[in-house]
């Protein structure tokens, strides 16, 4: 299965600033997903990022707040814009393996907004 | 989107079987049922998945009801390392291809 590296692993940010999270995969993958995990909660899908097309956002998430780039088949970024304390969460990148339908996750980026 | 519901928590004694239930009454015919588990400070890891038939692998078994409105993850002999949050997920393959997580069951294994 693919190996995913996320950066940063954790960060503390000030209200009103923006942070970009990077997701690097060791193999080419078509489908990449970004999830948010609020403290003590399950994972919520933010968007699906496919190379060569605009990201598809889930209800409650908008591009202005969570812009996503997918420049090639091994890399993606998620930006959390104009942050507030409510954005304090773990953000996880995941990819779907071709044919096997199995998701592989990165370790996540823990974001704390003060 | 169809969703799953799971009990918040369950307990099991070490070396005994564990049956983790999941309800997905609004599942569509093309949705796969996946199970993942998450250890503290880690991303979720794959356990098992299936569509209609029961499935077995080295980690667990997945029993899917005939009407597909529920499923059960079976850990045959729980160990302390199996203590984790277990998520039942619907993998939508028709329309938008995506994976929707349930609320998860926190499994506690007692020594």
């Amino acid at each position: 299965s693919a190996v995913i590296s996320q950066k940063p692993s954790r960060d503390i940010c000030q209200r009103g600033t923006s942070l970009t999270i990077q997701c690097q995969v060791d193999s080419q993958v078509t489908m990449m997903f970004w999830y948010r995990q609020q403290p003590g909660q399950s994972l919520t899908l933010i968007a699906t990022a496919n190379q060569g097309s605009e990201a598809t956002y889930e209800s409650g998430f908008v591009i202005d707040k969570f812009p996503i780039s997918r420049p090639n088949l091994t890399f993606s970024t998620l930006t959390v814009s104009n942050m507030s304390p409510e954005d304090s969460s773990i953000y996880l990148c995941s990819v779907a393996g071709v044919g096997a339908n199995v998701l592989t996750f990165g370790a996540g980026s823990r974001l704390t907004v003060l | 989107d169809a969703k799953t519901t799971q009990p918040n928590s369950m307990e099991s004694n070490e070396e005994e079987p564990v049956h983790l239930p999941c309800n997905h009454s609004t599942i569509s015919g093309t949705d796969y049922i996946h199970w993942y588990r998450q250890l503290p400070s880690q991303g979720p890891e794959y356990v098992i998945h299936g569509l209609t038939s029961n499935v077995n692998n080295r980690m667990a078994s997945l029993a899917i009801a005939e009407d597909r409105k529920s499923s059960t993850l079976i850990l045959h002999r729980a160990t302390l390392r199996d203590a984790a949050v277990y998520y039942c997920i619907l993998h939508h393959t028709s329309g938008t291809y995506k994976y929707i997580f349930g609320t998860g069951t926190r499994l506690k294994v007692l020594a």
Side-chain angles (χ1 to χ4, degrees):
Chain A
S1 58
V3 176
I4 299 173
S5 300
Q6 273 189 246
K7 291 181 181 179
S9 58
R10 58 178 63 226
D11 207 340
I12 300 174
C13 302
Q14 296 300 315
R15 181 196 298 261
T17 63
S18 298
L19 179 75
T20 295
I21 301 167
Q22 298 180 2
C23 178
Q24 179 73 53
V25 189
D26 70 342
S27 58
Q28 293 186 337
V29 292
T30 302
M31 312 208 71
M32 190 174 284
F33 305 90
W34 286 98
Y35 287 85
R36 180 178 72 182
Q37 187 171 30
Q38 295 176 302
Q41 302 296 313
S42 178
L43 282 74
T44 301
L45 180 64
I46 297 172
T48 302
N50 296 332
Q51 196 268 338
S53 62
E54 294 288 327
T56 301
Y57 289 83
E58 294 298 299
S59 175
F61 298 95
V62 295
I63 187 171
D64 289 346
K65 176 68 176 178
F66 298 101
I68 289 171
S69 78
R70 183 80 199 274
N72 57 53
L73 291 174
T74 63
F75 187 77
S76 177
T77 66
L78 169 75
T79 298
V80 187
S81 304
N82 188 24
M83 289 183 287
S84 67
E86 291 72 34
D87 294 318
S88 297
S89 294
I90 300 172
Y91 293 85
L92 298 111
C93 165
S94 68
V95 300
V98 176
N101 298 321
V102 172
L103 277 183
T104 302
F105 283 84
S109 299
R110 181 183 295 271
L111 174 62
T112 301
V113 184
L114 302 177
Chain B
D1 291 334
K3 297 188 184 298
T4 66
T5 55
Q6 304 175 249
N8 287 336
S9 63
M10 292 184 67
E11 281 188 1
S12 173
N13 293 318
E14 197 176 11
E15 298 193 4
E16 290 188 354
V18 183
H19 291 234
L20 298 169
C22 180
N23 287 318
H24 27 80
S25 58
T26 58
I27 191 172
S28 75
T30 55
D31 290 345
Y32 283 79
I33 301 156
H34 285 236
W35 284 82
Y36 287 70
R37 70 181 186 183
Q38 187 175 28
L39 300 170
S41 301
Q42 295 186 23
E45 65 172 353
Y46 170 78
V47 177
I48 200 166
H49 79 284
L51 183 61
T52 56
S53 303
N54 294 342
V55 184
N56 300 296
N57 66 22
R58 63 175 181 81
M59 290 183 70
S61 295
L62 174 61
I64 301 173
E66 193 168 337
D67 63 5
R68 298 208 332 125
K69 293 186 177 182
S70 66
S71 61
T72 302
L73 177 70
I74 303 165
L75 306 179
H76 296 287
R77 289 182 65 215
T79 70
L80 296 178
R81 289 177 296 178
D82 291 323
V85 179
Y86 286 79
Y87 293 103
C88 176
I89 295 157
L90 292 184
H91 171 201
H92 301 302
T93 62
S94 178
T96 305
Y97 191 97
K98 58 186 175 182
Y99 300 73
I100 302 300
F101 276 66
T103 52
T105 297
R106 182 174 298 279
L107 176 65
K108 185 176 182 180
V109 180
L110 306 174

